Amino acid sequence: MKEKSQRLAFLSLLLGIALMISFLESVLPLSFILPGFKLGLSNIVILVCLKQWGFREALLINIARILISALLFGNVLSLALSLSGGIFSTLLMFFLCKCRGLSNIGISAAGGAIHNFAQILAAMVMLNTFSVFRLTPFLLILGGITGTFCGILAHFFEKRTNFSKNNRK
Amino acid sequence: MKKGDFLVFLIIAVLSVALFLATFFKDDGKSLLVSVDNKPYKTFSLDEDGKHEIKTKKGINILIIENGTAHFENSDCPDKTCEKMGKISNVGESIVCLPHKVLAEVVE
């Protein structure tokens, strides 16, 4: 019972942090670089959760975060785009976490790139056009860069907090 | 930073360069889809200059393709709106001739 409520409290806290970061991102005026450009900072939380808790918890938090932030700041199109991106990036980052020889930075960079790639695919399906595919190379690189940035931040986040399953007392 | 991180960066860089080259050098190959009375009539390539007659039950439209653009000329329809609609070249643009029920549309 105590286990369960502790898990609930920890996951809610992580979700709250992720939502706060989502809100800050939606306020940051970064759209001049590319329409809809975002740093994907909430990926930090997902990555930490993935490493400290596991795949199910990370996916749960990510989907909950996307649904809530779409309700608060987004629309239907942005919801579908971020859902596809979020699910695929969480999946890929989960598999990469199993690999040795990868630190947070590499995992996060790969996650950012696949996030953008999945969004392009979703946009292609929904808008029924092939022309957005031309953006893919730029978005891959941008996703890699923002992912690297988030990876560095996740490294510090992990170092200075103990959101760990094993650190519970 | 570990070794694998650089591998991830390398993969992302190689993938995006390859995709960029693949999409950049792909032939544009835009074409013009002409339909009459809502049925596909014929598809013309916008890269080949030429003069085509589009024969319909109600009359004839002359389609001119030059320098990657298309326009109508000398139609024997009453309102001549299709001639006034000018040249089209971008995907999605279209010219309509209502009296003859002709629709010309640029597609990929």
Side-chain angles (χ1 to χ4, degrees):
Chain A
M1 188 58 207
K2 201 188 164 200
E3 279 264 301
K4 264 193 171 172
S5 45
Q6 255 180 344
R7 176 170 176 268
L8 183 66
F10 264 113
L11 294 185
S12 323
L13 187 56
L14 283 175
L15 177 60
I17 296 172
L19 270 174
M20 237 153 68
I21 295 175
S22 283
F23 169 67
L24 283 180
E25 264 191 346
S26 74
V27 177
L28 270 183
L30 283 174
S31 305
F32 64 90
I33 301 174
L34 254 182
F37 177 76
K38 273 186 183 175
L39 282 174
L41 288 174
S42 46
N43 203 28
I44 299 168
V45 178
I46 306 305
L47 185 57
V48 170
C49 180
L50 198 56
K51 289 195 108 175
Q52 308 284 8
W53 287 79
F55 177 63
R56 260 180 50 211
E57 285 83 356
L59 194 65
L60 198 71
I61 287 190
N62 209 358
I63 291 176
R65 173 191 71 83
I66 290 164
L67 286 179
I68 297 174
S69 66
L71 273 176
L72 292 175
F73 332 111
N75 52 44
V76 179
L77 188 73
S78 75
L79 168 68
L81 288 181
S82 22
L83 254 187
S84 67
I87 290 172
F88 277 101
S89 74
T90 314
L91 259 174
L92 184 77
M93 291 200 300
F94 167 66
F95 287 120
L96 290 183
C97 275
K98 301 267 168 198
C99 297
R100 286 181 188 184
L102 271 174
S103 72
N104 277 345
I105 298 169
I107 296 169
S108 179
I114 198 88
H115 181 276
N116 285 355
F117 187 67
Q119 285 197 329
I120 287 268
L121 290 186
M124 267 168 64
V125 171
M126 276 193 301
L127 303 176
N128 206 1
T129 163
F130 188 73
S131 51
V132 277
F133 196 72
R134 278 158 202 273
L135 284 172
T136 315
F138 308 104
L139 285 177
L140 274 184
I141 289 188
L142 264 181
I145 293 171
T146 56
T148 308
F149 183 61
C150 292
I152 296 168
L153 290 178
H155 177 70
F156 290 122
F157 187 89
E158 209 177 22
K159 246 174 131 182
R160 293 177 189 203
T161 56
N162 52 349
F163 278 116
S164 163
K165 220 177 192 173
N166 311 320
N167 273 345
R168 285 179 300 173
K169 276 169 195 160
Chain B
M1 291 286 267
K2 290 186 191 168
K3 257 187 193 169
D5 297 347
F6 294 104
L7 193 68
V8 169
F9 294 145
L10 193 71
I11 291 173
I12 294 176
V14 168
L15 259 181
S16 39
V17 169
L19 277 173
F20 179 71
L21 293 180
T23 48
F24 191 75
F25 287 114
K26 208 189 77 176
D27 197 13
D28 255 359
K30 279 184 278 193
S31 51
L32 189 78
L33 174 68
V34 177
S35 26
V36 178
D37 202 6
N38 232 347
K39 292 177 199 85
Y41 173 83
K42 207 174 170 184
T43 309
F44 303 100
S45 169
L46 272 186
D47 298 327
E48 291 162 32
D49 292 359
K51 194 172 175 183
H52 309 279
E53 280 187 3
I54 295 160
K55 287 176 189 144
T56 69
K57 279 176 203 161
K58 293 174 182 153
I60 293 173
N61 293 54
I62 313 282
L63 172 72
I64 312 276
I65 295 178
E66 53 187 10
N67 304 328
T69 67
H71 65 276
F72 278 173
E73 213 176 78
N74 284 333
S75 304
D76 55 1
C77 54
D79 62 2
K80 307 278 186 195
T81 304
C82 52
E83 294 173 25
K84 290 172 202 147
M85 287 176 89
K87 297 177 174 178
I88 56 172
S89 58
N90 294 323
V91 172
E93 286 183 319
S94 58
I95 300 178
V96 184
C97 176
L98 275 182
H100 292 173
K101 293 190 178 171
V102 173
L103 167 68
E105 194 180 9
V106 182
V107 290
E108 259 185 273

